[in-house]
Amino acid sequence: MRITLRQLQIFEAVVHTGSVTAAAELVAISQPAASQALRELETLLGRPLFRRHGKRLQITAQARSLLPQARAVLSQIEQIESMGESDELSGSLHIASSVSVGNYLMPKQMALFKEAHPNIRFDLDIGNTQEVIQQLLTGKAEVGFIEGYCQHAELATSIWLKDELVVFGSVKEDSPTSLSWDDLRDANWVMREAGSGTRNILEQAMGASIPNLNVTLSLNHMEAVKQAVIHKMGLGCLSKLAVSQELEAGLIQLYKTPLELNRNLLIVTPRNTALTQNAERFIDQCKLLSAE
């Protein structure tokens, strides 16, 4: 018995969805057929590909090394099948992105890429920096875009763009346009959750001067942070990209501070792992933005 394309399709789909049932729906076959295909692949390889964690399946270390090869084979087959079409790229591209990048930069980049390659299917997961890193480590994403730090031994990073964080408050607040260290220390803060790249940057910028911020609200969603600040619940700190509409609408005001809040946006990929052609070409397009 030889490895089949169906087995590789099921394997890749289980990695992406975390369950055999969802994978079966994704590739349009029955759940028993998907389970059988996965068992046959594990038998042929002589090793388990997943371990159960609660209701979800997690990829093993051995399977993680198989994943890029499986994706490359599936991508090659899809490209062969579309040879008669005008576009040379087809298939799927799994991306993970942190919040500011995912909401304010990725949509345009995906639209441009889709315009040039209509047969590409995007799957974008948006979360905080630690969640993006986890998506890459588990093989669910092929490439990640983050606004923070990543020093994981299994991941490679490259600088993509420069970004500026800003401290802002409600226009309803009667505050000076410039805030001192004492002002920052005494302020109430509305922050993103722990693990957010934005929060990490602010806390590091505070350093020894303000080791403990007075965080009155910790929120998982950037829009919630902005709304809480607009309603005078405290100061916020987000990417300038993220608050541009609220600033233009006159809902918030920016403050000058002694903080250094510039940061790099990073492209993150699995180290020592060959990328699919779709991922390589998308990264090449994104890098054109940094050259402008």
Side-chain angles (χ1 to χ4, degrees), residues 73-101:
V73 169
L74 295 172
S75 178
Q76 292 268 348
I77 292 299
E78 289 182 314
Q79 289 169 38
I80 290 172
E81 291 174 343
S82 64
M83 283 180 65
E85 302 172 7
S86 59
D87 177 58
E88 79 281 17
L89 294 183
S90 62
S92 60
L93 178 55
H94 305 292
I95 301 171
S97 174
S98 51
V99 178
S100 294
V101 178

Side-chain angles (χ1 to χ4, degrees), residues 6 9-10 13 20-31 33-34:
R6 177 62 77 189
Q9 284 178 321
I10 291 297
V20 176
T21 300
E25 293 178 0
L26 191 63
V27 300
I29 65 172
S30 68
Q31 191 273 338

Side-chain angles (χ1 to χ4, degrees), residues 137-184:
L137 292 175
T138 57
K140 293 184 178 181
E142 299 172 66
V143 57
F145 296 84
I146 63 172
E147 53 219 33
Y149 296 107
C150 174
Q151 297 180 330
H152 201 285
E154 295 182 34
L155 300 175
T157 63
S158 60
I159 295 174
W160 180 31
L161 297 170
K162 299 291 184 181
D163 187 32
E164 178 186 1
L165 300 183
V166 293
V167 175
F168 65 100
S170 173
V171 293
K172 301 174 185 177
E173 296 280 8
D174 184 17
S175 302
T177 58
S178 181
L179 301 179
S180 66
W181 283 110
D182 287 339
D183 294 327
L184 297 174

Side-chain angles (χ1 to χ4, degrees), residues 9 19 30 43 59 66 99 126 174 221 250 260 268 282-283 287:
Q9 284 178 321
S19 79
S30 68
T43 299
I59 192 170
L66 169 65
V99 178
I126 297 177
D174 184 17
H221 298 287
E260 291 291 336
V268 189
F282 185 71
I283 289 172
K287 287 181 175 179

Side-chain angles (χ1 to χ4, degrees), residues 60-75:
T60 63
Q62 296 90 341
R64 194 178 301 156
S65 63
L66 169 65
L67 182 60
Q69 299 175 65
R71 281 179 170 157
V73 169
L74 295 172
S75 178

Side-chain angles (χ1 to χ4, degrees), residues 101-207:
V101 178
N103 285 332
Y104 297 100
L105 293 175
M106 278 297 103
K108 181 178 180 180
Q109 291 303 308
M110 291 189 297
L112 289 172
F113 200 74
K114 183 75 173 175
E115 184 178 351
H117 309 289
N119 293 326
I120 290 291
R121 301 186 303 276
F122 280 103
D123 194 323
L124 173 64
D125 284 315
I126 297 177
N128 66 37
T129 294
Q130 291 306 313
E131 289 169 339
V132 172
I133 289 172
Q134 192 61 28
Q135 290 278 315
L136 291 164
L137 292 175
T138 57
K140 293 184 178 181
E142 299 172 66
V143 57
F145 296 84
I146 63 172
E147 53 219 33
Y149 296 107
C150 174
Q151 297 180 330
H152 201 285
E154 295 182 34
L155 300 175
T157 63
S158 60
I159 295 174
W160 180 31
L161 297 170
K162 299 291 184 181
D163 187 32
E164 178 186 1
L165 300 183
V166 293
V167 175
F168 65 100
S170 173
V171 293
K172 301 174 185 177
E173 296 280 8
D174 184 17
S175 302
T177 58
S178 181
L179 301 179
S180 66
W181 283 110
D182 287 339
D183 294 327
L184 297 174
R185 183 181 298 107
D186 295 339
N188 294 326
W189 287 85
V190 180
M191 298 293 296
R192 288 283 310 283
E193 77 285 1
S196 158
T198 300
R199 180 164 178 166
N200 291 340
I201 293 289
L202 178 63
E203 290 175 341
Q204 289 172 15
M206 295 290 190

